[in-house]
Amino acid sequence: MRIGDTGKVRTRGKGRSTAVLAAGATLAVLSGCTVQTADGERHSPVRIELPSGTPSPKSDAPDDKPPSKAPAPAPVVLWQSGDTGRDVRELQARLRQVAWLFDGPTGTYDDLTAQAVKGFQGKRGLPETGRTDQATWDRLLKMTREPGMWDLYLMGGQPADAPDARCLTGRVLCISKSSRTLRWMVDGRTVVEMPVRFGSQYTPTREGEFTVYWKSRNHVSTLYDSSMPYAMFFSGGQAVHYSSDFAARGYAGASHGCVNVSDERAIGQMFAEVRIGDKVVVHW
């Protein structure tokens, strides 16, 4: 290039001027000043945020950890050790049907009941807690039938019905076939109450009003060769007496016509109080 070529020098000078202006504009933008271009037009500054060196957290970034699942709610327990009542009786009666319980029903959720429930649960792949939850109960319902009155009170424990009018005076063994109970009553007051069992349809217990005519502490039946402790005879060979079979089997069995008692201690005390000539009333 020649020095005398003023045209090219102007061109180079013009380019240098343009670069200076552009640099100034950039500085003005970064400084927040007003920018003035080569043609004189003024523009508002553009604010630029420079990085501070510490990145801000990203609120919309995906979480590296999977969301934790809420723990499953604990099963609702319907009955457990210590509970009592009619529902517990039904549970026990149904457990008897599937051969997981052989005692009772007693109406009390005892250790034997808890063990039976635990065994039933384990056999069906349910958590072996020994407590009856809804899943355990639903499974048991599907496998059993509705228990009847004497399934629930197979071993006694049922409430006695009201005494017959003939029982309200004097000393009376007041025996109800409806509630299967015996009340030992003196002048209208119940001294003791206990469940009793009667004869089968082929050897029924007689109904009516009788008197105790003989007592035999360690009696043995000559007809059936069976033990009849604390026997109090009131009609022929029929007597009120303790029955070990009733104590073991409950209402699953029957007598040959006698009135069976399953509580040996209670009948022993009553035997000591009852006198020859006391009244016996057998009623519905």
Side-chain angles (χ1 to χ4, degrees):
M1 178 178 61
R2 294 192 303 272
I3 296 176
D5 192 349
T6 57
K8 288 187 178 181
V9 172
R10 275 197 303 272
T11 301
R12 184 177 298 170
K14 183 178 180 181
R16 184 180 296 114
S17 300
T18 303
V20 171
L21 289 175
T26 300
L27 181 61
V29 168
L30 296 177
S31 303
C33 298
T34 302
V35 179
Q36 182 174 357
T37 60
D39 57 3
E41 186 178 356
R42 301 171 66 88
H43 297 276
S44 298
V46 178
R47 183 175 181 80
I48 298 176
E49 294 285 347
L50 297 178
S52 62
T54 303
S56 60
K58 298 180 179 179
S59 59
D60 58 346
D63 195 350
D64 292 338
K65 297 181 180 179
S68 59
K69 295 183 179 179
V76 176
V77 175
L78 303 179
W79 309 290
Q80 59 187 333
S81 294
D83 289 342
T84 60
R86 192 267 180 200
D87 290 340
V88 175
R89 281 189 180 274
E90 181 173 349
L91 168 68
Q92 293 169 329
R94 289 182 183 272
L95 286 169
R96 284 185 66 101
Q97 291 179 33
V98 291
W100 276 104
L101 189 65
F102 299 96
D103 294 337
T106 63
T108 298
Y109 205 117
D110 52 16
D111 291 341
L112 290 176
T113 304
Q115 291 173 15
V117 170
K118 187 174 182 179
F120 177 84
Q121 291 169 329
K123 186 73 172 180
R124 273 82 198 172
L126 299 169
E128 299 179 42
T129 64
R131 299 184 296 271
T132 304
D133 56 26
Q134 190 64 56
T136 302
W137 181 239
D138 289 344
R139 188 65 180 272
L140 186 59
L141 287 178
K142 291 180 180 179
M143 298 177 62
T144 54
R145 60 173 174 79
E146 179 75 20
M149 170 69 173
W150 301 114
D151 294 318
L152 297 174
Y153 294 97
L154 180 66
M155 306 305 294
Q158 68 274 16
D161 58 7
D164 186 271
R166 293 169 289 180
C167 301
L168 300 179
T169 57
R171 298 163 57 87
V172 190
L173 291 172
C174 191
I175 302 167
S176 169
K177 283 191 169 183
S178 298
S179 63
R180 300 184 181 183
T181 54
L182 179 152
R183 292 174 184 262
W184 165 233
M185 302 183 68
V186 178
D187 296 330
R189 178 178 63 88
T190 298
V191 178
V192 66
E193 176 186 309
M194 61 194 74
V196 292
R197 186 177 72 173
F198 304 103
S200 68
Q201 59 177 327
Y202 306 106
T203 56
T205 303
R206 302 181 189 101
E207 300 152 22
E209 185 174 332
F210 313 91
T211 58
V212 175
Y213 71 88
W214 182 33
K215 295 172 60 180
S216 179
R217 168 65 180 80
N218 296 303
H219 192 78
V220 176
S221 171
T222 56
L223 182 60
Y224 299 105
D225 192 27
S226 58
S227 178
M228 299 170 56
Y230 304 105
M232 293 168 278
F233 289 89
F234 61 88
S235 177
Q238 295 190 353
V240 177
H241 68 84
Y242 170 73
S243 168
S244 59
D245 182 74
F246 182 29
R249 300 174 58 206
Y251 293 112
S255 75
H256 293 101
C258 289
V259 178
N260 291 163
V261 176
S262 60
D263 189 334
E264 187 171 11
R265 182 191 60 80
I267 194 173
Q269 293 178 350
M270 186 173 67
F271 182 87
E273 296 179 18
V274 172
R275 306 169 186 166
I276 301 297
D278 284 346
K279 188 164 45 176
V280 178
V281 175
V282 182
H283 67 93
W284 282 99

